[in-house]
């Protein structure tokens, strides 16, 4: 997916998140984020949107702290979220392609990184808002889901801060059954190493439609199908949270 596609997806996902949050109400529990209510979800995602936009708009070339969570609730909080989402979309859509700023995962450019990261940040939290509202959730496109799985496995969990580790080397395979995408995740005492293939034997394989795997790997849904050593799926559930 290119940057313009990510920005378009970010715009759509943020609108859907706001609609679901408004329909659920600020007091609604968020089943996919235990301990959170919808107000927490809006405060967190709105803060992240503003934090991301600051890097691109102001050109910070090193880490810059976020602005904290707002002391808002109800209609004011929802309006604040919508305003921040619109500002982020506008910032990304109008930024020069070669804008120089800080980012924290490999990407073709800082702009490409922030558009991709915020599209997936918002999509996952849109699912959270829909879980609070109940009813049928909106779908996630296969290509976007594959892109998000790749970001998670080859980006987030390639970093030294990943806690998905084992003393004895193990292999987890992730296979999308509705496309040809497959990943082999080699887990050891070091950060996981992910290859985009299905070479060699795996101790455990998780498989299913890409959109379902995407949400499963972000710990929003159970894995649709898992074969082999179940301790690896338990390890993922326990240790794969991203901060």
């Amino acid at each position: 997916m290119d940057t313009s596609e990510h920005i378009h997806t970010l715009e759509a996902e943020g609108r859907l998140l706001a609609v679901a949050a408004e329909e659920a109400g600020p007091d609604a529990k968020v089943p996919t984020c235990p301990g959170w209510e919808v107000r927490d979800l809006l405060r967190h995602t709105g803060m992240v949107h503003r934090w991301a936009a600051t890097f691109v708009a102001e050109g910070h070339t090193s880490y810059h702290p976020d602005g904290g969570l707002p002391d808002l609730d109800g209609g004011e909080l929802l309006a604040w979220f919508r305003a921040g989402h619109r500002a982020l979309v506008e910032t990304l859509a109008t930024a020069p392609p070669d804008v120089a700023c800080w980012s924290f995962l490999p990407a073709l450019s800082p702009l490409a990184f922030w558009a991709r990261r915020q599209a997936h940040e918002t999509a996952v939290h849109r699912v959270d808002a829909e879980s609070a509202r109940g009813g049928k959730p909106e779908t996630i496109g296969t290509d976007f889901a594959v892109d998000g799985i790749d970001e998670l496995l080859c980006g987030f969990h390639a970093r030294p801060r990943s806690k998905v580790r084992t003393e004895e080397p193990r292999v987890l395979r992730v296979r999308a059954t509705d496309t040809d995408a497959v990943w082999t995740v080699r887990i050891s005492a070091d950060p996981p190493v992910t290859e985009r293939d299905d070479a060699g034997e795996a101790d455990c394989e998780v498989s299913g439609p890409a959109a379902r795997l995407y949400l499963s790997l972000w710990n929003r849904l159970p894995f649709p199908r898992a074969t082999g050593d179940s301790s690896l799926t338990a390890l993922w559930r326990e240790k794969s949270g991203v901060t």
Side-chain angles (χ1 to χ4, degrees), residues 65-183:
D66 63 68
L69 301 178
D71 185 20
L72 296 172
D73 207 349
E76 287 184 331
L77 175 59
L78 192 63
W80 175 85
F81 170 82
R82 284 181 162 132
H85 170 247
R86 287 194 302 269
L88 172 62
V89 171
E90 180 68 16
T91 295
L92 294 173
T94 59
D98 61 349
V99 62
C101 63
W102 179 82
S103 58
F104 60 87
L105 294 178
L108 293 175
S109 69
L111 181 61
F113 163 79
W114 283 111
R116 183 194 202 193
R117 176 79 293 277
Q118 290 309 299
H120 289 293
E121 174 85 12
T122 307
V124 171
H125 287 316
R126 180 266 291 177
V127 171
D128 294 331
E130 290 176 340
S131 79
R133 178 193 63 189
K136 185 178 179 180
E138 297 291 334
T139 59
I140 293 174
T142 299
D143 289 346
F144 182 69
V146 167
D147 181 71
I149 294 170
D150 200 78
E151 183 201 41
L152 182 61
L153 298 180
C154 299
F156 277 107
H157 286 290
R159 299 187 301 168
R161 66 172 58 190
S162 175
K163 297 179 181 179
V164 180
R165 304 186 185 215
T166 58
E167 289 302 319
E168 178 186 354
R170 312 303 298 279
V171 177
L172 173 67
R173 182 154 294 135
V174 178
R175 187 183 302 275
T177 55
D178 54 348
T179 183
D180 59 0
V182 59
W183 298 262

Side-chain angles (χ1 to χ4, degrees), residues 3-242:
T3 299
S4 64
E5 289 175 301
H6 283 129
I7 295 172
H8 176 76
T9 301
L10 165 64
E11 181 172 20
E13 293 290 343
R15 291 178 183 273
L16 289 171
L17 193 163
V19 168
E22 186 170 27
E23 291 175 349
D27 298 330
K29 304 295 184 185
V30 182
T32 49
C33 295
W36 272 18
E37 297 175 343
V38 165
R39 59 173 54 87
D40 301 304
L41 181 64
L42 288 173
R43 289 167 181 163
H44 166 79
T45 313
M47 174 273 289
V48 172
H49 284 171
R50 286 165 167 75
W51 178 71
T54 296
F55 286 102
V56 178
E58 299 180 8
H60 295 290
T61 55
S62 60
Y63 175 81
H64 188 76
D66 63 68
L69 301 178
D71 185 20
L72 296 172
D73 207 349
E76 287 184 331
L77 175 59
L78 192 63
W80 175 85
F81 170 82
R82 284 181 162 132
H85 170 247
R86 287 194 302 269
L88 172 62
V89 171
E90 180 68 16
T91 295
L92 294 173
T94 59
D98 61 349
V99 62
C101 63
W102 179 82
S103 58
F104 60 87
L105 294 178
L108 293 175
S109 69
L111 181 61
F113 163 79
W114 283 111
R116 183 194 202 193
R117 176 79 293 277
Q118 290 309 299
H120 289 293
E121 174 85 12
T122 307
V124 171
H125 287 316
R126 180 266 291 177
V127 171
D128 294 331
E130 290 176 340
S131 79
R133 178 193 63 189
K136 185 178 179 180
E138 297 291 334
T139 59
I140 293 174
T142 299
D143 289 346
F144 182 69
V146 167
D147 181 71
I149 294 170
D150 200 78
E151 183 201 41
L152 182 61
L153 298 180
C154 299
F156 277 107
H157 286 290
R159 299 187 301 168
R161 66 172 58 190
S162 175
K163 297 179 181 179
V164 180
R165 304 186 185 215
T166 58
E167 289 302 319
E168 178 186 354
R170 312 303 298 279
V171 177
L172 173 67
R173 182 154 294 135
V174 178
R175 187 183 302 275
T177 55
D178 54 348
T179 183
D180 59 0
V182 59
W183 298 262
T184 298
V185 186
R186 303 189 184 280
I187 306 171
S188 68
D190 297 316
V193 175
T194 298
E195 299 155 358
R196 299 180 182 96
D197 61 29
D198 60 354
E201 297 294 322
D203 297 292
C204 177
E205 178 170 310
V206 294
S207 59
R212 179 66 183 269
L213 282 177
Y214 173 65
L215 294 176
S216 299
L217 289 163
W218 276 106
N219 293 319
R220 263 55 183 189
L221 292 174
F223 286 110
R225 183 170 186 267
T227 57
D229 186 352
S230 62
S231 70
L232 285 182
T233 56
L235 174 71
W236 188 269
R237 288 279 184 236
E238 181 182 356
K239 298 293 187 182
S240 67
V242 168

